Amino acid sequence: MRTSAVWYPFTQHALEPTMRHVVGTEGAHLIDEHGARILDALSSWWVITHGHRHPVIMEAIRKATETYDQIIFAEYTHAPAEELAKGLIEIAPPGLAHVFYSDSGSTAVEVALKMALGYFHNLGRPRSRICVMEHGYHGDTIGTMSVGERGVFNAAYAPLLFSVDQLPFPESGREQQTLDAFEALCATGEVASLLIEPLLLGAGGMKSYPASVLAELKRIAERHGSLLIADEVMTGWGRTGSLFACEQAGISPDILCTSKGLTGGALPLAVTLCTPEIFDAHLSTDRRKTFFHSSSYTANPIACAAALANLDVWKQEPVRERIDSLTERHRQHLSRFAGDPRFDDIRQVGTIAALDLKVPTGGYLSEVGPRLRAFFRERGLLIRPLGNVIYLMPPYCVTDADLGRAYEAIDEAASLFVAGRL
Ligand SMILES: *Cc1c(COP(=O)(O)O)cnc(C)c1O
């Protein structure tokens, strides 16, 4: 009997009637009502970077609540937002000079798209096309579904989605096709922007591509006066090994979106960073050139304080060493699966490891997904495969023992699957 009034996200209630109650969190763990500790091997949907309830971030939140709640963010400003903007510009790829606040990854991407079209509109040279990459994911609003991969997730809403130009994913050995497709689209002179997840496409199946492809896409965009929007909502904050994934390609995007790890995962906050050219195109005594965007909770001071504390953690703690260590431990664990006939496409980008369980029919709705999830759940592991794609994205504080347990479970699950017992 269902007693909850809550309609949960990405949940088929007819198949999953029971929710497990979490009564607390600590480090890499969720603690349930029976006191069981569950390894949060996906960082609570990719947001928790250092670990749950990092003391420095929690303390900053407590302190901020003594002074602030929500404050209107037009005509009035506050220190947490000002300081955070400065701090972000210092560490972001060079050339990004302005910070626009919002509250989720989806809104950060919506803001980016509006900035890109607003830029060309205000310059009096309107461009209307947005290029995206096959398998991309940028959120679940109407706008961000429009720029994401079409499929079972958004089939019902297709009539509301706007059209975009899709580049083929740069599969190994076929990278040139992606570049050629982009070059051809840019040649029309109508491409306002390429919106892309740098190095790793997350929700689309943890698909990685080389930094050299990203660098070349940036060069093509530049040549044709098109903007590059980097969606670093997931890849930011060390996930791919560097603070931002763009660093590995040696590029600066024209617009950069980031959210998930911005507050270390403690509170919702997002930013869209842009170059002076884009800001300046909106700077005018003509009020019609204003950037018309806001949301009620823009630049929430407590969330900004949490993000400032996150910047301190990055400066004062050996975060990069933890990331390097996790990267190396993944590499060692994954090596046991090299050449393993049960898996396809074993891959790793920094702190994220993924492998495809070989199944007759893959894809997000692959029957094996929920069965794997149940198997891991029984073992106290929060691992949610994307169909047959099993991935681990734990907080950077994960211990050797916990990480080892996760890999053991993957091994065991694959054996059971092969034996027809999963
Ligand atoms: C999660 C995600 C988003 C959407 O962020 P929300 O905070 O869930 O709205 C956008 N882009 C990427 C790459 C993401 O992984």
Side-chain angles (χ1 to χ4, degrees):
M1 213 25 218
R2 188 169 143 74
T3 53
S4 170
V6 179
W7 191 342
Y8 292 89
F10 273 76
T11 297
Q12 178 41 267
H13 286 273
L15 297 170
E16 293 180 53
T18 55
M19 290 284 157
R20 233 164 133 178
H21 280 254
V22 173
V23 297
T25 61
E26 189 180 12
H29 296 104
L30 309 179
I31 301 156
D32 80 0
E33 56 195 319
H34 309 293
R37 296 177 77 89
I38 301 140
L39 176 66
D40 188 354
L42 48 81
S43 297
S44 277
W45 262 342
W46 318 350
V47 300
I48 303 293
T49 46
H50 313 293
H52 284 278
R53 288 194 303 114
H54 188 289
V56 171
I57 297 172
M58 291 296 116
E59 180 53 30
I61 293 171
R62 268 192 295 274
K63 197 150 165 276
T65 61
E66 287 168 11
T67 322
Y68 301 113
D69 55 2
Q70 179 64 27
I71 301 168
I72 185 171
F73 203 60
E75 223 182 309
Y76 296 87
T77 191
H78 47 79
E82 296 295 335
E83 283 171 30
L84 177 58
K86 254 190 237 143
L88 288 171
I89 293 308
E90 271 169 28
I91 58 171
L96 297 166
H98 299 274
V99 177
F100 192 93
Y101 286 104
S102 62
D103 17 57
S104 73
S106 304
T107 53
V109 172
E110 299 262 357
V111 163
L113 294 170
K114 287 174 71 171
M115 280 180 180
L117 260 73
Y119 168 76
F120 289 104
H121 178 85
N122 288 352
L123 291 182
R125 301 186 257 118
R127 290 188 181 199
S128 59
R129 298 306 296 174
I130 300 292
C131 274
V132 299
M133 190 176 272
E134 185 186 7
H135 304 302
Y137 176 83
H138 302 284
D140 284 332
T141 58
I142 299 295
T144 56
M145 280 191 297
S146 299
V147 290
E149 182 75 7
R150 307 295 167 93
V152 63
F153 313 99
N154 44 42
Y157 329 115
L160 299 182
L161 307 186
F162 57 78
S163 87
V164 294
D165 298 309
Q166 194 187 60
L167 307 180
F169 182 81
E171 300 287 356
S172 179
R174 279 184 283 147
E175 293 88 351
Q176 194 57 41
Q177 282 181 20
T178 306
L179 300 175
D180 291 346
F182 187 47
E183 182 83 53
L185 285 165
C186 281
T188 64
E190 286 170 18
V191 175
S193 179
L194 170 65
L195 165 65
I196 197 167
E197 296 164 83
L199 304 192
L200 183 68
L201 278 55
M206 296 298 158
K207 293 176 74 73
S208 71
Y209 63 91
S212 56
V213 172
L214 181 58
E216 194 52 42
L217 288 169
K218 167 68 181 161
R219 275 193 282 278
I220 295 170
E222 226 164 60
R223 238 188 349 261
H224 293 276
S226 304
L227 303 175
L228 181 81
I229 303 172
D231 177 353
E232 295 240 21
V233 170
M234 187 276 277
T235 51
W237 305 101
R239 282 291 174 205
T240 67
S242 46
L243 178 61
F244 292 107
C246 283
E247 293 169 21
Q248 294 181 46
I251 62 151
S252 287
D254 301 283
I255 302 178
L256 184 148
C257 312
T258 191
S259 178
K260 286 177 172 131
L262 173 57
T263 60
L267 285 175
L269 186 69
V271 288
T272 306
L273 277 53
C274 75
T275 59
E277 289 75 18
I278 293 167
F279 179 83
D280 290 348
H282 291 82
L283 191 62
S284 168
T285 50
D286 180 351
R287 290 169 64 201
R288 286 171 302 182
K289 293 193 173 180
T290 305
F291 187 54
F292 292 109
H293 192 94
S294 174
S295 50
S296 310
Y297 288 100
T298 293
N300 176 271
I302 301 165
C304 288
L308 266 173
N310 177 42
L311 294 190
D312 280 344
V313 171
W314 271 86
K315 276 182 206 135
Q316 275 151 32
E317 296 187 15
V319 178
R320 286 167 204 276
E321 284 80 352
R322 286 177 204 147
I323 288 169
D324 290 346
S325 152
L326 177 53
T327 301
E328 175 56 22
R329 288 183 283 153
H330 271 316
R331 198 190 60 72
Q332 285 173 11
H333 283 295
L334 282 175
S335 67
R336 79 203 260 174
F337 298 127
D340 191 322
R342 300 172 299 171
F343 298 105
D344 265 334
D345 199 10
I346 296 163
R347 56 209 185 269
Q348 179 191 0
V349 180
T351 71
I352 302 164
L355 62 184
D356 297 1
L357 184 63
K358 254 188 221 160
V359 294
T361 42
Y364 181 80
L365 291 185
S366 169
E367 278 305 308
V368 75
R371 280 185 273 152
L372 284 168
R373 182 140 58 85
F375 173 86
F376 294 128
R377 180 167 156 151
E378 268 171 35
R379 275 155 189 74
L381 301 165
L382 172 51
I383 300 175
R384 290 172 62 99
L386 298 158
N388 62 317
V389 179
I390 304 173
Y391 73 91
L392 297 176
M393 196 192 298
Y396 308 150
C397 66
V398 67
T399 62
D400 288 345
D402 275 335
L403 195 64
R405 223 155 50 78
Y407 277 100
E408 281 301 329
I410 291 172
D411 201 338
E412 199 186 331
S415 295
L416 285 173
F417 176 75
V418 169
R421 292 193 286 123
L422 186 83

